[in-house]
Amino acid sequence: MDIRPIFSALRRHRLVMGMLILEIALTCAIVCNSVFLIMQNLQRMNLPSGIAEHQLVVVQMASIRDRPDADARAQANLASLRQIPGVRQVALVDKMPFMFSGNNSDIKLRPDQPQPSLSAGLYFGENLLSAFGARLIAGRMFHADEYLSLDRALRGLHDNNVRDLPRVAIVTRAMAQRLWPGQNALGKTFYIGKDIQMHVVGVLAQLARPNSLQRGVGFSWVVPIRMNADEGGYYVIRSAPRDRARVLADAVARLKQHNPGSIVMAQRSYDRMRAEYFSGDRAMAGTLIAVCLALLVITALGIGGLASFWVAQRRRTIGVRRALGATRGDILRYFQTENFLIVGFGIALGIVLAYGLSLLLMAHYELPRLPFSYLPAGALILWCVGQLAVLGPALRAAAVPPVVATRSV
Amino acid sequence: MLAYYFQLAIHSLKRNKVLTALMVLAIAVGIGASMTTLTVLHVLSGNPIPEKSARLYRVQIDPRGSFGFRPGMEPPNQVSWIDGMNLLHAARADRQALMTGGLVAVQPAQSMLDAFFAPARYTSAGFFPMFDVPFRYGHPWNAADDQASARVVVLSHALNEKLFGGRNSVGRMLDVGGHALRVVGVLGDWRPNPLFYDLTRNSYNATEGIYVPLSTSQVLGFAHDGSTDCWGNGGGSKRMDPAAPCAWLQFWVQLDTPASAAAYRRFLVHYSQQQKALGRFQRPPNVRLRNVMQWLDYNQVVPANVRLQTWLAFGFLFVCLVNTVGLMLAKFMRRQGELSVRRAMGASRRTLFAQLLVESGVVGLAGGAGGLVIALLGLWLVRHRPAAYASLAHLDGAMLMITFLLAICASLLAGVLPAWRACSITPASMLKSQ
């Protein structure tokens, strides 16, 4: 098809066409960047935690006042939870992946190192790894005699007495690979705080840190410290996914019954906890999707509106062309090609704008550069939207009978 | 004259209903989206204490060890117990308060209510006069109560409603964390948003129900709740060890003149040098004194997502405007015949221009009204989001005015180019071609 007549016709509507191209370009730039942001949000929401998420329910307790035997009461609570039918593992832990608070430690490989090698999220709680369902890929779990009570460990920190502090740790593979690239982490040592030496006895396949995800989601480590009933913490109970609701109700009832001096602060499945953590990301993704759709609809309406306007304006010319032998298909294709070209110009400008916008976003937010692959996808979407929008007016144009040419306007 | 233009505009808009509807819709959606996000931004970036925000300063010093030191790095946001107490007792500012967040169990006197946990603020007495906290009943505790770790408590308006049905509860006893505390005051309806003095918990819509002297909270072993930043062999826990190398308290000062602010900064530098000489600090003196708005800005208290959404909405409005310009151009150009006739009959170019602008103004007015509806709908949606600030998203009078101004300006702006183009045609050539 000869596109020269299209160009000469468009040249007569330079300003209108310029506006349309600008609109398409802006839409292209915003949609490409928005889709990229949506993908970033989805990626965050789908970060692997490394634990058996769908099998866990969590109960958070807090005691009204501290009483003696906090350690013994924790053990009694755990023993009672273990008796719930269908329960596989239980633990009282300090933190879980994807929470709004966490313990982050600066890790050193040598005591005299001026800067930390990395920052890692700390986990503790007896039986934590089994209850989480985290997979050990090398080394061993903690021995029972390695566990210390939290009170003792805090005392050890205060007095700087290593006898009251844990000496062994289990680290994630991600953390081990960063600290000792290409080496076996088992038996290696690292330092925390004022040079407290830790020996690696096990390596986990994966365990996400509780918070500060931007400092490396996969950097986590576990120490053999036992939680007590008064320090707060989370009772984690693992069962088959279908038993979760029943197990949770039973667990809450038991904990309430055994702990008259405590209040249940939260009770839910881990899936819900995780969803709450990422609810902001989900809401943002929803907003972005809505904006993209609204933009595409507005742009389609703009294209359609202008096209039907042009069709109405050119009724006579169309009639003349039909009278001179152009088929309906020719007219249809004329408008479709015209639209294809306009959208094409818009996309060409849009790609430039999309990269400009991406640079702007990178300067103000912690975002990577817009990957190239989003541009052809964005172009394809806009071409489709343009063709859909122009179809109605173009069909109306094709339906103009040749006899129009013989009538005066 | 204007009324006549208005009639002409309505007539012309009616002639092409679909196109008019498209233009109004585009403006309405664009205005609605931008007003929604702008309102959220406006609510979130408000000044929580407008009368005093320039005279209240958050104190930052750097007590950390040399490990991890890099020149130019910011000091920790909070202070340790030892430094906080030293600065509080030095009392070099016009007013000062040392405080931290906590969580305490409250056992209501009436047996119908179960015990519950309430977010608490443990603070020295300077808090209330410094932040101009209004009292409904009673009064704050004083420095002597701080000194004596007095068993006293101040309740928020909301908690007093819940516990005592809103009656004057001064003098009543309340079981807090297993200890009997005497109510000395009840606050008026005081809800600073954001909770500028402690941003480590929920910044917006935070509800602190209970205020206890900081000294009392430590003697009674009340639990700390908030962020803890430790160095060396520090470890955070529910009950903080006063000697732990951890920053977990907020220190605020009131400095009434720039001169006293400069003097206080020198005092902080001097204090840091002194502590370094004593061997407690290892880094060179690194102090910050930020007033309320600087502090909110430094902590990026307005969520990045909200800013991003505002930019996105204005981009969206721009696309809608470009869309409207295109449609108006097409519409006005089509009416060149009519306009040429009116020119030939003696109407000046300026008259026609004004008439066309009235027409686009009418579109803007309709778009503004539609935009208002969409903005209200958008804010309703925002209020149902999981964010902490959600319930604050309401349109106020100022934002309402801005909506209409924005809509009219936007559509006039969109009308200028098309109207100018349509008017600048020579009537003779158009009339001839008819």
Side-chain angles (χ1 to χ4, degrees):
Chain A
M1 180 168 189
D2 194 2
I3 58 169
R4 244 179 320 163
I6 298 181
F7 273 117
S8 54
L10 285 180
R11 217 170 292 141
R12 292 191 48 189
H13 299 277
R14 244 171 290 169
L15 204 57
V16 178
M17 200 188 67
M19 285 295 146
L20 199 56
I21 287 176
L22 185 61
E23 182 182 352
I24 292 164
L26 285 169
T27 303
C28 178
I30 296 178
V31 167
C32 282
N33 278 288
S34 295
V35 171
F36 178 52
L37 285 175
I38 293 168
M39 289 305 174
Q40 293 278 314
N41 277 13
L42 291 183
Q43 206 175 31
R44 242 175 81 85
M45 283 160 60
N46 291 325
L47 282 174
S49 63
I51 67 176
E53 297 183 6
H54 308 309
Q55 302 175 22
L56 302 179
V57 292
V58 184
V59 184
Q60 189 188 9
M61 303 282 291
S63 47
I64 294 174
R65 78 206 65 171
D66 289 2
R67 287 178 297 139
D69 308 329
D71 288 307
R73 276 182 286 124
Q75 294 306 319
N77 285 338
L78 290 170
S80 172
L81 293 176
R82 239 174 243 123
Q83 282 162 14
I84 299 173
V87 165
R88 292 175 186 164
Q89 294 283 348
V90 294
L92 175 58
V93 306
D94 178 48
K95 296 283 186 270
M96 297 193 73
F98 308 133
M99 294 180 39
F100 291 101
S101 73
N103 296 314
N104 295 297
S105 328
D106 282 334
I107 308 286
K108 296 185 280 193
L109 288 175
R110 295 187 320 274
D112 56 348
Q113 198 172 305
Q115 297 293 329
S117 300
L118 57 85
S119 154
L122 173 66
Y123 283 99
F124 55 85
E126 200 173 7
N127 201 32
L128 171 137
L129 291 173
S130 316
F132 277 1
R135 198 160 58 83
L136 195 73
I137 52 167
R140 61 171 175 88
M141 295 285 196
F142 297 125
H143 297 314
D145 61 355
E146 282 169 334
Y147 277 95
L148 305 164
S149 74
L150 179 59
D151 285 336
R152 187 170 159 199
L154 286 173
R155 208 166 49 236
L157 270 181
H158 181 262
D159 304 339
N160 207 357
N161 180 356
V162 288
R163 287 235 310 279
D164 287 335
L165 291 168
R167 290 170 213 188
V168 292
I170 294 176
V171 302
T172 59
R173 175 161 48 188
M175 178 167 157
Q177 277 174 354
R178 174 64 71 87
L179 288 176
W180 306 284
Q183 299 173 48
N184 184 359
L186 292 181
K188 291 274 194 302
T189 57
F190 62 87
Y191 297 84
I192 54 155
K194 250 200 212 136
D195 312 333
I196 301 165
Q197 194 178 28
M198 306 296 305
H199 298 268
V200 176
V201 296
V203 178
L204 295 173
Q206 201 164 45
L207 180 61
R209 69 198 295 163
N211 69 344
S212 300
L213 306 188
Q214 75 284 1
R215 285 151 91 178
V217 186
F219 298 157
S220 305
W221 63 300
V222 190
V223 289
I225 291 179
R226 199 181 293 123
M227 285 287 287
N228 66 47
D230 284 341
E231 186 65 29
Y234 301 82
Y235 289 92
V236 178
I237 307 148
R238 184 140 77 99
S239 67
R242 63 172 184 283
D243 293 337
R244 279 181 297 176
R246 178 181 55 79
V247 166
L248 181 61
D250 200 347
V252 168
R254 281 166 189 254
L255 287 172
K256 270 187 179 160
Q257 191 198 341
H258 293 313
N259 302 272
S262 295
I263 295 175
V264 176
M265 302 291 280
Q267 45 162 314
R268 60 202 122 167
S269 66
Y270 181 78
D271 286 340
R272 251 190 67 200
M273 260 177 86
R274 184 186 165 118
E276 265 163 43
Y277 183 83
F278 290 108
S279 63
D281 295 277
R282 189 174 313 106
M284 184 68 187
T287 308
L288 288 170
I289 291 172
V291 166
C292 285
L293 288 180
L295 263 179
L296 290 174
V297 168
I298 289 283
T299 306
L301 288 179
I303 293 173
L306 273 184
S308 55
F309 209 84
W310 275 337
V311 168
Q313 207 174 20
R314 296 179 196 164
R315 257 179 89 78
R316 188 144 177 268
T317 352
I318 296 166
V320 171
R321 277 198 66 196
R322 292 278 281 127
L324 290 175
T327 63
R328 280 161 186 251
D330 287 336
I331 304 294
L332 188 69
R333 269 193 297 283
Y334 174 88
F335 280 99
Q336 284 174 335
T337 312
E338 185 187 67
N339 178 270
F340 184 83
L341 286 175
I342 293 176
V343 176
F345 287 135
I347 289 167
L349 183 61
I351 286 175
V352 179
L353 287 181
Y355 263 102
L357 194 59
S358 171
L359 289 178
L360 206 68
L361 285 174
M362 280 164 60
H364 291 281
Y365 300 91
E366 282 167 28
L367 279 173
R369 183 191 294 275
L370 180 71
F372 179 75
S373 59
Y374 282 80
L375 299 173
L380 199 68
I381 291 173
L382 276 167
W383 262 315
C384 290
V385 166
Q387 288 301 312
L388 275 177
V390 87
L391 192 63
L395 282 173
R396 233 173 305 139
V400 171
V403 71
V404 169
T406 62
R407 292 188 194 137
S408 65
V409 182
Chain B
M1 207 56 185
L2 211 64
Y4 173 61
Y5 289 168
F6 193 72
Q7 264 178 0
L8 276 181
I10 298 286
H11 180 72
S12 141
L13 290 173
K14 266 190 188 157
R15 234 182 9 203
N16 220 319
K17 288 204 187 77
V18 178
L19 207 63
T20 308
L22 273 185
M23 289 193 289
V24 171
L25 182 76
I27 291 197
V29 172
I31 295 284
S34 5
M35 285 322 293
T36 305
T37 54
L38 207 59
T39 302
V40 172
L41 191 68
H42 170 72
V43 168
L44 297 193
S45 49
N47 187 336
I49 179 162
E51 325 76 47
K52 282 186 110 171
S53 62
R55 290 182 289 142
L56 297 176
Y57 295 88
R58 173 71 169 245
V59 173
Q60 287 173 268
I61 53 175
D62 202 336
R64 292 173 293 191
S66 54
F67 171 62
F69 173 73
R70 276 185 302 268
M73 74 194 291
E74 286 284 340
N77 284 349
Q78 309 187 93
V79 297
S80 68
W81 176 267
I82 294 175
D83 292 317
M85 279 298 167
N86 285 344
L87 294 175
L88 183 70
H89 290 140
R92 298 291 278 268
D94 296 310
R95 281 187 174 125
Q96 48 249 307
L98 181 65
M99 65 195 81
T100 194
L103 200 60
V104 288
V106 178
Q107 178 72 61
Q110 310 96 308
S111 47
M112 299 93 83
L113 286 172
D114 280 340
F116 59 90
F117 274 89
R121 179 126 305 258
Y122 312 139
T123 176
S124 62
F127 179 90
F128 301 98
M130 184 163 68
F131 293 149
D132 281 344
V133 184
F135 271 75
R136 175 87 174 80
Y137 301 115
H139 51 79
W141 64 83
N142 57 32
D145 293 325
D146 276 341
Q147 200 67 43
S149 305
R151 307 293 197 261
V152 293
V153 60
V154 165
L155 301 180
S156 75
H157 188 75
L159 197 65
N160 188 55
E161 275 303 319
K162 183 170 175 179
L163 289 172
F164 298 104
R167 285 186 299 277
N168 186 349
S169 57
V170 171
R172 301 277 294 267
M173 299 305 280
L174 185 66
D175 184 326
V176 179
H179 299 274
L181 301 187
R182 186 166 51 85
V183 179
V184 294
V186 175
L187 300 188
D189 192 10
W190 187 62
R191 279 174 293 182
N193 256 316
L195 195 71
F196 62 94
Y197 54 78
D198 185 358
L199 299 170
T200 62
R201 296 200 281 184
N202 254 351
S203 311
Y204 295 98
N205 253 336
T207 50
E208 287 181 336
I210 285 204
Y211 302 80
V212 177
L214 181 64
S215 52
T216 312
S217 74
Q218 296 311 295
V219 171
L220 299 183
F222 288 171
H224 169 242
D225 182 39
S227 96
T228 306
D229 183 10
C230 296
W231 55 95
N233 273 2
S237 97
K238 215 168 85 172
R239 257 160 297 287
M240 293 300 303
D241 169 8
C246 296
W248 54 286
L249 299 124
Q250 301 94 40
F251 189 60
W252 283 88
V253 293
Q254 178 179 334
L255 301 163
D256 289 327
T257 60
S260 57
Y264 199 82
R265 195 185 306 272
R266 283 195 299 277
F267 161 67
L268 288 176
V269 171
H270 178 71
Y271 174 79
S272 301
Q273 284 164 339
Q274 204 180 30
Q275 294 298 317
K276 197 176 176 200
L278 286 172
R280 269 195 71 231
F281 290 8
Q282 287 169 22
R283 301 184 180 191
N286 187 15
V287 308
R288 298 284 186 282
L289 211 49
R290 290 186 164 99
N291 69 28
V292 173
M293 292 319 271
Q294 288 166 341
W295 178 247
L296 295 182
D297 192 44
Y298 171 64
N299 280 280
Q300 301 182 329
V301 67
V302 176
N305 269 356
V306 172
R307 283 189 195 285
L308 191 63
Q309 280 167 13
T310 310
W311 285 115
L312 196 67
F314 274 90
F316 184 58
L317 176 62
F318 191 64
V319 172
C320 292
L321 278 188
V322 171
N323 182 48
T324 309
V325 172
L327 293 177
M328 272 193 194
L329 258 177
K331 188 172 160 65
F332 289 171
M333 295 305 264
R334 185 129 187 255
R335 282 168 53 200
Q336 270 169 359
E338 173 206 324
L339 293 173
S340 306
V341 172
R342 295 195 52 211
R343 280 279 276 141
M345 306 277 280
S348 73
R349 192 169 281 179
R350 184 191 276 179
T351 326
L352 292 185
F353 187 68
Q355 186 213 323
L356 292 176
L357 273 192
V358 168
E359 193 172 325
S360 53
V362 169
V363 170
L365 214 56
L372 195 64
V373 174
I374 293 178
L376 289 175
L377 189 77
L379 288 171
W380 181 82
L381 282 175
V382 170
R383 283 197 293 277
H384 285 79
R385 287 172 82 164
Y389 59 78
S391 66
L392 298 171
H394 284 279
L395 207 62
D396 57 11
M399 296 312 279
L400 202 76
M401 287 294 295
I402 293 177
T403 308
F404 271 97
L405 273 176
L406 193 68
I408 306 249
C409 289
S411 62
L412 285 183
L413 209 68
V416 166
L417 180 71
W420 176 75
R421 281 281 295 182
C423 295
S424 59
I425 219 87
T426 46
S429 69
M430 266 324 280
L431 287 175
K432 244 186 276 172
S433 74
Q434 285 270 310

